[in-house]
Amino acid sequence: MLQGKAALVTGSTSGIGLGIARALAAQGCAVMLNGFGDPGEIETIRADIERQHDVQVAYNGADLSRPDEIAALVAATAEQLGSLDILVNNAGIQHTAPVADFPAAMWDKIIAIMLTGAFHAIRHALPHMQAKGWGRIVNPSSVHGLVASVHKIAYVSAKHGIMGLTKTVALEMAGHGITCNAINPGFVRTELVQAQIDDRAQKIGASAEEAARDMLSEKQPSLDFVTPEQIGALCVFLCSDAAAQITGVPIPIDGGWTAQ
Ligand code: NAD
């Protein structure tokens, strides 16, 4: 379905981004991977996706907190893959602390990577999409783009900010073949969430599995984690022709979290 297209997926060396990259590649889309990690492991992931789906897969380790590196990342994607048709602004980190104790440097870092980074990636990617009259921008926000939770001030603020950015880009690109939407996942058991599960296990003196169940029961009525594969499939749908008239909206995938 996406043969001949090229996608940049930021933060795709693990978790949700990797799930999205795999799902796009499975549809014949060339992919630029990005994110941090062990170089050997990243090369194994890259070569594995390339071999499995017979598509071009490249990697660029740009730091999404650095605007100059984002500009270079977008340029490298278009140059190495021949175009940039799909942009997935997925890179993200988490830090939890009460507002009064929240480290200011951590606020700056989270906003830089998750909100400002997406802005820069979009502004550099749009001319490539406009040249072809076709584009898809998918912003993995979060349920925390729609509702708040305690101790996540920077994350909740960045994810709410992404919703405004999504709507504005959608309006400016409406009628030009380019859509911009957000995906709003509930808990997905990735490294980012495992750290929260481990913290909770320590606090309540329980096993990681007990802490995971405790966390789900507080927020996610399905009592089950969303998977990176499910989010990848949703992203593929948003890139399809069937989704051409879906733009500027949040799409929760959250086991009922935001229905409450
Ligand atoms: P993860 O830790 O598995 O993946 C994060 C990715 O971002 C990794 O590839 C990492 O290397 C990359 N990254 C981090 N800082 C970066 C930087 N400065 N520059 C470039 N890349 C950077 O976590 P995840 O859970 O897969 O998170 C991915 C996205 O999904 C995040 O935006 C997160 O907020 C969002 N999300 C996660 C959940 C969840 O429950 N896990 C729920 C909703 C939304």
Side-chain angles (χ1 to χ4, degrees), residues 1-6 21-31 53-56:
M1 194 180 76
L2 297 174
Q3 243 155 27
K5 305 274 193 237
R22 285 190 196 284
L24 292 173
Q27 297 297 321
C29 188
V31 178
H53 301 296
D54 196 21
V55 292
Q56 188 184 353

Side-chain angles (χ1 to χ4, degrees), residues 11 13-14 16 36 63-64 90 113 141 155 159 185-186 188 190 193:
T13 50
S14 67
I16 293 170
F36 301 148
D63 181 340
L64 267 287
N90 173 77
I113 295 171
S141 172
Y155 188 90
K159 294 300 192 184
V188 187
T190 61
V193 157

Side-chain angles (χ1 to χ4, degrees), residues 76-205:
T77 304
E79 197 185 308
Q80 290 176 35
L81 305 186
S83 67
L84 204 183
D85 310 291
I86 297 166
L87 169 66
V88 183
N89 287 305
N90 173 77
I93 57 170
Q94 177 62 284
H95 184 84
T96 58
V99 179
D101 302 331
F102 205 90
M106 195 50 83
W107 165 276
D108 288 343
K109 191 172 174 187
I110 288 177
I111 299 294
I113 295 171
M114 286 161 47
L115 183 56
T116 311
F119 159 69
H120 288 301
I122 289 171
R123 78 187 176 88
H124 292 304
L126 271 179
H128 296 283
M129 299 178 182
Q130 285 171 305
K132 288 175 97 179
W134 193 95
R136 294 286 187 271
I137 299 167
V138 180
N139 298 319
S141 172
S142 163
V143 286
H144 287 114
L146 302 169
V147 295
S149 290
V150 296
H151 300 167
K152 296 184 177 175
I153 184 74
Y155 188 90
V156 169
S157 302
K159 294 300 192 184
H160 273 68
I162 279 288
M163 303 315 302
L165 180 146
T166 299
K167 291 177 194 173
T168 306
V169 174
L171 287 182
E172 290 190 21
M173 289 302 118
H176 297 280
I178 299 166
T179 68
C180 181
N181 293 291
I183 290 177
N184 301 69
F187 283 133
V188 187
R189 198 161 186 175
T190 61
E191 287 168 31
L192 185 144
V193 157
Q194 190 59 44
Q196 294 171 55
I197 293 172
D198 295 343
D199 270 2
R200 184 177 289 240
Q202 219 176 16
K203 258 182 216 141
I204 64 176

Side-chain angles (χ1 to χ4, degrees), residues 12-14 18 22 31-52 56-61 80:
S12 47
T13 50
S14 67
L18 181 54
R22 285 190 196 284
V31 178
M32 174 63 87
L33 298 173
N34 158 260
F36 301 148
D38 175 73
E41 280 172 27
I42 293 172
E43 173 51 22
T44 303
I45 290 169
R46 191 204 63 75
D48 177 56
I49 302 175
E50 192 166 69
R51 200 175 319 111
Q52 200 178 348
Q56 188 184 353
V57 182
Y59 165 74
N60 182 302
Q80 290 176 35

